[in-house]
Amino acid sequence: MQRNPTLTIPFGTTHLCPTKATGTGDLDPFGPEFQGHRYASFHCPTKRNSSFKLQNHVFSDKLRINFNAKTGAIVNATLYIADSHTTISGESIEKVGPGRYLIRGATFTPCRCEEGESPDWSISARSIDAEEEGYARARGATFRIKDTPVFYLPFAVFPVKQRRQTGFLMPRIEYSSRDDFEFVLPFYWAAARWCDLTLEEDFISRRGVKQNLEFRWVRSYSSAGKLTLFYLDDWLVNENRYAFTLSAVSVIGGRVRLVSDVRFISDNEYIRDFRRDGLSDDPRARALESGFMLMLPFENMEAYIAISRIDDLVGDDVEDRLGFEDSDSIAPQRYPRAGFRVALLNIPGTPLWAKVRLETDTFYREGPVPAWNRPGEAYEGEVSERIDVESSISAPLERRGVYFTPLVGFRETAWLMPDGENASRHLAIAKTELGLRAYRIYRDRFKHRVEPRLRYILMADLDSSERPYFDFTDEWGDMNGLEINLDQRFFMRRADGR
């Protein structure tokens, strides 16, 4: 039998250096081939082979197995697990019982490195005692970036389970001049494979104890969503304060997509006082809109119908100034609206690409509202129309990951008002974007893409006359700005290869 100087052990089978065991090829150390051996020890004088294919492997200098007890140890070992792209190494890795392992001088990293190369990041420990589908206990754990220690824990306990684990998450401690001390204790419940729930007890020293709930679900690739609830008996203002959000996407009939975006708050100051709840990207928002949208895709375009409700967040200020009794009636509401978006279309025979968007809105306001063009006066009721059209032409260029995209466009908006005094807006748009797309693929499954980009925007209002205001769309006007962005995107190949 030919002697093999390298010890390589793929998971589930064992390739052995033949010293005291008989047999060749793939051997199961706990299978019938070894039933006659009570104890065996293997030693390879030549060190590991640094080249290996993308599959589960163990490299080691020495292997010891007790076949009857089904325990053993490997010395100076490195384990590579292909499914999770994980590398575990240690001075010794022992199986001390059914499903229980002890690693001394352990190092864990998701980076696959050649021999002598430092991983991008790693976690090392003096010892790790781990139990399958249970917990691992690490002593003297250190988090490293390259070879530089960044964080140290004398003792740590973490789950080593294939499934998500129910339990408490890392608490959060904060301090601010507005709320003073804040302590958040989250609890995570892995309710099912398709859903989970997070509960938070949020102690705010100036306000009281706030309850936060987040429920997430993913029934399929085309059906997912998130529901959040917040409640607080606020000591500072002596009021019960609460909020509710629902964000969901589902596909109807295999083609029509239903997008839900519902947000509700107890008072106008909620989004300013509790920005972390994520009810609005802008804490100074003048209104909060909720709605549902049906989207029907066609080739190179998409049509949609939407209904929504707008809650006014500055009505009290208008009420004080004009003397209106019902501030809620000031917020403009929408009738169901429709529109379509045309994706980038190549103009035949040219390197130019065109894009078009059209949207129509009908707004109404109940009760007396301020006249948009006559300060101090009010309408008893208002029904107004807005038509917004935007078109653009771009000429994208890209070479070796560097891209440059010049764009020119035009945006026309018309307001049809109940008093016959209509308004319009004419915007000339010029944009230039310069960027880089760089990426790195890890383990043939994960992709990390970095996209730094520089964007210049010039928008000229060709008619600066006074106009009505219904929502953020009406705020666009003269603009001369420069944007610098750095985007990072992570992609993972699914098990089916897509």
Side-chain angles (χ1 to χ4, degrees):
M1 182 168 57
Q2 184 179 3
R3 188 177 181 85
N4 183 358
T6 302
L7 176 63
T8 306
I9 311 172
F11 279 28
T13 63
T14 308
H15 297 266
L16 301 174
C17 293
T19 53
K20 296 186 180 180
T22 59
T24 60
D26 293 347
L27 304 176
D28 185 349
F30 307 122
E33 294 91 340
F34 283 113
Q35 293 302 313
H37 295 267
R38 181 175 181 82
Y39 181 85
S41 178
F42 303 90
H43 176 69
C44 289
T46 304
K47 238 183 173 181
R48 66 202 70 190
N49 182 359
S50 61
S51 62
F52 53 90
K53 296 181 180 180
L54 188 63
Q55 53 183 324
N56 298 335
H57 275 81
V58 177
F59 300 117
S60 176
D61 292 339
K62 188 176 182 180
L63 167 67
R64 184 179 69 253
I65 299 176
N66 186 324
F67 300 110
N68 290 338
K70 295 187 178 180
T71 61
I74 48 181
V75 180
N76 291 331
T78 299
L79 289 75
Y80 177 74
I81 306 172
D83 288 343
S84 59
H85 301 280
T86 302
T87 301
I88 302 173
S89 59
E91 297 173 2
S92 69
I93 303 177
E94 300 180 50
K95 184 178 181 181
V96 295
R100 186 179 174 188
Y101 301 86
L102 178 63
I103 309 175
R104 293 183 172 87
T107 299
F108 163 86
T109 179
C111 305
R112 180 183 176 188
C113 304
E114 299 294 337
E115 189 169 358
E117 180 185 359
S118 298
D120 293 338
W121 67 268
S122 63
I123 298 175
S124 60
R126 290 197 309 271
S127 67
I128 297 178
D129 188 352
E131 186 175 358
E132 290 181 0
E133 292 301 315
Y135 294 89
R137 293 164 177 82
R139 289 173 172 82
T142 304
F143 176 73
R144 285 181 167 85
I145 297 179
K146 289 296 186 179
D147 292 326
T148 304
V150 176
F151 189 73
Y152 174 79
L153 280 176
F155 182 76
V157 178
F158 52 91
V160 285
K161 300 187 177 184
Q162 295 290 332
R163 297 181 180 179
R164 294 167 298 161
Q165 177 65 29
T166 297
F168 288 98
L169 303 178
M170 184 70 70
R172 187 173 71 247
I173 300 175
E174 298 180 0
Y175 180 83
S176 67
S177 58
R178 183 184 57 202
D179 294 330
D180 288 343
F181 175 79
E182 183 175 1
F183 176 79
V184 183
L185 180 63
F187 178 81
Y188 176 79
W189 178 32
R193 293 187 61 183
W194 58 273
C195 67
D196 59 27
L197 184 144
T198 303
L199 295 169
E200 291 183 346
E201 288 295 312
D202 186 355
F203 174 76
I204 307 173
S205 59
R206 294 186 63 190
R207 297 183 182 273
V209 180
K210 181 168 170 275
Q211 281 78 41
N212 307 329
L213 180 147
E214 179 186 80
F215 177 70
R216 304 182 303 176
W217 69 93
V218 180
R219 295 295 293 178
S220 66
Y221 291 109
S222 58
S223 177
K226 180 175 74 171
L227 168 71
T228 60
L229 297 171
F230 308 94
Y231 175 79
L232 170 66
D233 183 2
D234 197 333
W235 301 339
L236 190 62
V237 297
N238 197 26
E239 290 182 2
N240 291 327
R241 310 182 71 181
Y242 47 88
F244 161 85
T245 70
L246 171 65
S247 301
V249 177
S250 57
V251 175
I252 303 173
R255 185 177 181 186
V256 179
R257 188 157 56 114
L258 172 63
V259 179
S260 306
D261 185 12
V262 180
R263 292 175 287 178
F264 179 79
I265 56 177
S266 59
D267 57 89
N268 292 351
E269 298 298 323
Y270 190 95
I271 64 172
R272 298 170 179 84
D273 291 340
F274 306 105
R275 301 179 186 181
R276 186 181 291 276
D277 292 350
L279 287 126
S280 175
D281 295 332
D282 183 7
R284 299 168 298 174
R286 300 171 59 173
L288 192 66
E289 185 171 8
S290 302
F292 301 89
M293 180 179 291
L294 284 173
M295 310 175 74
L296 180 61
F298 297 94
E299 185 177 2
N300 296 323
M301 72 167 290
E302 183 178 61
Y304 62 88
I305 299 175
I307 59 174
S308 63
R309 164 75 187 179
I310 302 174
D311 291 321
D312 182 39
L313 302 183
V314 295
D316 293 338
D317 296 335
V318 180
E319 175 185 351
D320 293 340
R321 188 170 66 250
L322 299 179
F324 298 146
E325 295 181 359
D326 186 4
S327 63
D328 291 336
S329 66
I330 296 173
Q333 303 298 328
R334 299 181 196 263
Y335 286 112
R337 69 185 189 275
F340 72 87
R341 291 185 284 259
V342 177
L344 283 173
L345 292 175
N346 180 244
I347 300 177
T350 72
L352 303 179
W353 293 77
K355 187 176 183 180
V356 180
R357 180 186 62 83
L358 169 66
E359 185 174 88
T360 62
D361 287 284
T362 302
F363 295 93
Y364 68 93
R365 300 197 235 204
E366 300 174 353
V369 294
W372 67 274
N373 56 352
R374 293 189 294 274
E377 298 185 22
Y379 298 126
E380 285 299 324
E382 178 186 25
V383 177
S384 306
E385 304 245 354
R386 184 181 69 197
I387 303 173
D388 192 28
V389 182
E390 183 176 1
S391 59
S392 63
I393 295 177
S394 60
L397 304 171
E398 184 167 358
R399 183 177 179 85
R400 296 182 179 179
V402 179
Y403 64 91
F404 175 72
T405 306
L407 177 147
V408 293
F410 191 78
R411 184 170 184 175
E412 176 78 18
T413 309
W415 292 268
L416 309 179
M417 306 303 294
D419 58 2
E421 298 186 17
N422 302 327
S424 61
R425 177 181 62 190
H426 316 280
L427 297 177
I429 305 170
K431 296 182 184 180
T432 301
E433 185 169 325
L434 176 66
L436 169 68
R437 295 187 180 98
Y439 66 90
R440 183 177 178 182
I441 298 177
Y442 298 89
R443 318 293 187 270
D444 296 328
R445 188 178 180 187
F446 298 94
K447 177 191 284 189
H448 177 206
R449 191 166 74 188
V450 180
E451 298 182 19
R453 69 178 185 269
L454 183 69
R455 177 187 297 169
Y456 174 71
I457 304 174
L458 176 63
M459 193 177 298
D461 191 341
L462 306 181
D463 180 11
S464 56
S465 59
E466 191 175 4
R467 306 179 186 109
Y469 178 87
F470 294 104
D471 61 14
F472 67 91
T473 300
D474 302 327
E475 295 180 354
W476 292 102
D478 289 322
M479 178 183 294
N480 188 0
L482 182 67
E483 294 181 5
I484 300 176
N485 299 86
L486 177 61
D487 296 336
Q488 296 194 70
R489 306 175 191 273
F490 297 89
F491 303 89
M492 182 178 70
R493 190 188 303 276
R494 295 189 337 203
D496 57 8
R498 290 188 290 174

